[in-house]
Structures are given as C-alpha cells and as structure tokens.
Amino acid sequence: MSDIQIWTLVFVGLSFGTYLTIAWRSRVRETKGFYVAGQGIPAVANGAAVAADWMSAASFISMAGLIAFLGSDGSVYLMGWTGGYVLLALLLAPYLRKWGKFTVPEFVGDRYSEYVRLIAAVAAIIVSFTYVVGQMRGGGIVFSRFLNLTIEGGVAVAAGVIFLYAVLGGMKGITWTQVAQYTVMIVAYLIPAWTIAQKMTGFPVPQVTFGQILDELNALSQEFGLEQYTEAFAVRPQLDVFLVTLSLMIGTAGLPHVIIRFYTTKSVRGARFSALWALVFIGLLYTTAPAVGAFTKLNLMQSVNGVAVDALPAWVNNWAATGLVTVSDSASTITTLSNDPASGADLIVNNDILVLATPEIAGLPAPIVGLVAAGGLAAAMSTAAGLLLVISSSVSHDLYFRVVKKPTSDSRRLLVGRIAMGAAVLVAIYGGINPPAYVAQVVAFAFGLAASTFFPILVLGIFWKRANAVGAASGMISGLAFTGAYMLYTLEVFGTSSHDYLFGISPEGIGALGALVNVVVTIVVSKLTTPPTEHVQEMVEELRYPAKRVVSPAAETE
C-alpha cells in the first residue's frame, strides 16, 4: 500500500468516524426532528451546514477543473452559484421560514392547491435525483483513485455511508454532520492552494497572487492548441454565458434541498443570518477556485509539455488507471492537451480530476493528497445527504401522507421516509456509475430544472396574490417539460462535448428560458381563470409582513 493510500485511509477513516458518531448522537424518533431538526439550529451552524450542503462535489471536485479549461468563461459558475444566494436571502428564505412548514411542496400546496403540491413533489424528486447523481459520481472518483476501488465500487461505498448517517439522524444529524464536513472540506481545499501559491509566487494567498502567472498560462495554453485562459467568450458564446449564469442563479434560489435548510432555524431572523453566514463560508472556497484552476493547469502543462510518453510523471499513470486520463496511442511526445475525448489530443484530462490531482501534480507530500481526498468525499456526501432527505420527504410527507394513507402515525411516516431514502440511494448508485456528463455539468442540469420549476412559482406565490392553482400547475409543467426536453435533446443529438447547440444555448443555460416560459404561462393562465380565494390572498398579504402567521387549528393537527 502506497503512502498516499495510507494517508487517505487515515483521513477518510477519521472523518467518517466523526460523521457516524455525530449521526448516532443526533438520531431522532419524530418527524419534526427528522425533517427540520426541531427548528432549533443556530444561525452560524446552519450557515456552515448550508455551505456544506451547497459546496457539493461539483464545487469541490469539478468546478476548478471546468474553470481551468473554460478560462474566464468558467466565471459563470462562480457568479451564478454565489449570486443565487443573494436572491434566496432576499426573495425566499425569510418568507418560507415564516410559513413554518417542513417542505417546499408543502408551501406550494398551502399556497395553491393539493394537486399543485403533488406536481411540486414530483419535480423535487426529479431535481434531487439529477443532482445526487453528480455527488455519487464524485464519491466514486475519489475512492477509485485513492483506495484502488473501481468507479462502481467507490460509488457503492460512498452511497452506503451517506445512507447510514442520513437514516440515523435525519435533518438533525445531517445538519451537525455537515458542520463537520464543511470544516474538513474547506481545510482540504485551502491548504494545497496556499502551499502551491507559496511555491509558485512566494506569497501564500492564492486569491491575490494567481494573476502573476496568467501571461505564462496564456502562452502555454496556445502552445497546446487551447484558447487563452483570460480570453472572454472563447469557449461559450456571450448569450450562453448570460443564460448559464442566470439559470444557475435562479436555480440556486429554487433548489428544494437548499430552501429546506432555512426551515431548521429558530426564527425568521435566524434564516436571514443563516444566508449571510453561508455566503461568508462559501466565499472562502469560491474565491479560491479560480486560483486553483489557474495554478493547477499551469503545473499540469509544465509537467507534460514535450515530455515523451514513456517518461510522463507518475500522476498521469496513477490517474490513467481510473480511466479519467488518457494518453493517445499514436503520440510519442505530449504536444496537445484537451478535456474533450473526441478532440484527438495527445493527452485527455477529465475535468473532474483536476482538484483531486492538484497535490500530486504540484509534488506535494502524501498527507496533503490524503486530506484532499477526504475533503472531496465530504463535499460529495454533505450534499447527497440533503438531497436524499428531500427525496424522502417528498415521497413520505408530500405523496404518501397526503395521497396514499392520510391518517398515519409519526413512526409510519418515518419508516416510509427511510424506505424512500433507501430506494433513492439505489437509483443514485446507478446514475453515479453511468453519469450523462461531467459532475459539474450534471449538477448544472439540476439547477436548470429547479430554475424552470420552483423559483418562478415560489416568487409569484409570495409576491403576486393573483397567481392561482391552475396557473401554477400549468407553469411548472410547461417549464419542466421545456427544459427537460431540451436537455435530453442535446445529450442525445449533440453529446455533452459539442457546442453545436440551437442558437448556441447549452443545456446548462436552458433553465433560464424555461423559467421565463413558466412565468409567462403562470401569469397568462392565472389571468384567464378564477382568482384565488380571499382567504389565500389574505394569507399571502400577511406572509410579507413581520407579524407571526396565525395557524388554524385544522392546520396544527396535520
């Protein structure tokens, strides 16, 4: 067993033991603890948990790799994913926390009608499944490289651990586990970044110093047949950059597994401060990612430029064993580089390995490699647990409890929720083994689906009293169908590496247009049909003001 594997086992073992211990000590036996952690989480802790929930395998493992190959166009992920939290904090989080229920579909059902609630529950399941596929894939990549497991075996192991602690502790256990996972992942991300910045520039603050290497990076990129790192709109057309950014922003604000986090705070004020703390914690990683992408790409190109195939550095062979790095059979020396398997380049490097391979490429010691592996697993598992909880709550609380067996006990609802979580894990394992695209791209698809379904309906439900059930149902179905159909079409017809999209719009950006379709359909249909009842309109009016909502006795007994 190599030093890297030993240190990986040490860090992964310690972190997994911590997660499972927290889950065991936080185990719950009632639905309020399982779904919203008893609504007793402090704002700082909830902010860290939100950040961990948010900084998924896409952010930790794949985003810097995408930025490395997209260059300045990769800023869409930074602007979209962070900007979405501003929208969430201003437009949704405090109002939904004031409503005081368990799930996003539950708010939709109270605001519109029960059949709209069912549509929202199905949409939440679709979005969450799409998102969790990326997390399972990320976990599989870590295990396959550092513990000599196959991708299939790595995905299965990651899924098993996630299922265990999510089932034990529900939202309460997941929340406190995510606080620990945030600590692990941010330390694992920052230490290599600081170390590499010190080695390459003499100053250990990557956010400040990575600008010093951009001229060299641009020149070397052109030698390898790539676009200049700093050239705008070189990889994506300007329209697509705008639409992807917008789609990620409103998709962020509409993600059910993020919104449900704000139900766990002690108060509406706590929900607002949770969003503030989350932005602070997220900003630590998101301001570092461009530097990691630039430093690692330069290190990568310097280490292979003009090198004979039989003299390539050890990291190439290590990652080639996973199938995520490929050396062309016809190449004698490395002169071309790409992340596109169809490019025919001498060296093909998958986006998803760049952060995990950063310490090896930079020649850092084995303990740092093991720490980064533990951070990657923390990122994948923290988000996957929240997504599994959304799937569980949608099946048990919004479908089973409302449709199949209305009068049911707390214990039965918990049992159904845990069974639903188990079934979701099995489906997610299959998706993680056979993903449709890179981790960050799969996650971007989930954001597009959330943007086209939840964000318009939630914002209109809070700020426009005239929106009714028929309009909301029509809007959600139209937005979801439009966005999902285009995503399937592009994957089937063009493949994820192609840029020959309709009007230059990528599947990652189509969610913004899907949201527009949703808004237009909802408004038009609502105007042409009967308005909501006076009771609903008064409820919406009261929701936007600070006074505590008065819950009817009937609602209390549900």
Side-chain angles (χ1 to χ4, degrees), residues 224-425:
F224 274 93
L226 302 172
E227 302 289 347
Q228 287 195 5
Y229 188 83
T230 57
E231 184 178 349
F233 313 123
V235 181
R236 293 180 182 272
Q238 188 170 1
L239 173 62
D240 192 48
V241 168
F242 171 76
L243 290 177
V244 172
T245 304
L246 181 58
S247 181
L248 294 177
M249 284 182 66
I250 60 179
T252 296
L255 280 174
H257 82 285
V258 174
I259 292 173
I260 198 174
R261 277 255 152 255
F262 296 97
Y263 291 144
T264 66
T265 59
K266 297 179 180 180
S267 64
V268 174
R269 185 173 183 269
R272 291 186 185 276
F273 274 90
S274 290
L276 173 63
W277 280 111
L279 279 169
V280 172
F281 292 134
I282 290 168
L284 288 175
L285 188 144
Y286 273 51
T287 55
T288 310
V292 171
F295 283 132
T296 303
K297 188 177 183 182
L298 181 59
N299 269 331
L300 187 160
M301 291 191 294
Q302 287 175 336
S303 69
V304 301
N305 187 24
V307 176
V309 169
D310 58 2
L312 286 170
W315 70 265
V316 175
N317 295 324
N318 291 339
W319 281 99
T322 68
L324 299 175
V325 169
T326 305
V327 180
S328 173
D329 294 335
S330 61
S332 57
T333 59
I334 303 300
T335 58
T336 56
L337 169 72
S338 178
N339 63 335
D340 182 358
S343 67
D346 296 334
L347 183 66
I348 308 295
V349 178
N350 188 295
N351 290 334
D352 293 340
I353 77 156
L354 227 62
V355 169
L356 297 174
T358 290
E360 292 177 270
I361 296 171
L364 300 184
I368 294 182
V369 180
L371 179 62
V372 171
L377 288 172
M381 292 193 302
S382 62
T383 302
L387 293 165
L388 291 173
L389 191 67
V390 167
I391 294 169
S392 170
S393 63
S394 295
V395 171
S396 64
H397 191 69
D398 295 310
L399 295 178
Y400 181 84
F401 173 57
R402 292 284 178 168
V403 178
V404 180
K405 195 175 181 66
K406 292 186 178 182
T408 189
S409 64
D410 242 22
S411 60
R412 179 173 288 274
R413 272 193 272 179
L414 281 176
L415 177 62
V416 172
R418 284 166 170 155
I419 291 172
M421 196 176 287
V425 165

Side-chain angles (χ1 to χ4, degrees), residues 103-114:
T103 69
V104 173
E106 193 167 21
F107 167 78
V108 171
D110 287 354
R111 169 61 180 86
Y112 297 108
S113 72
E114 281 302 303

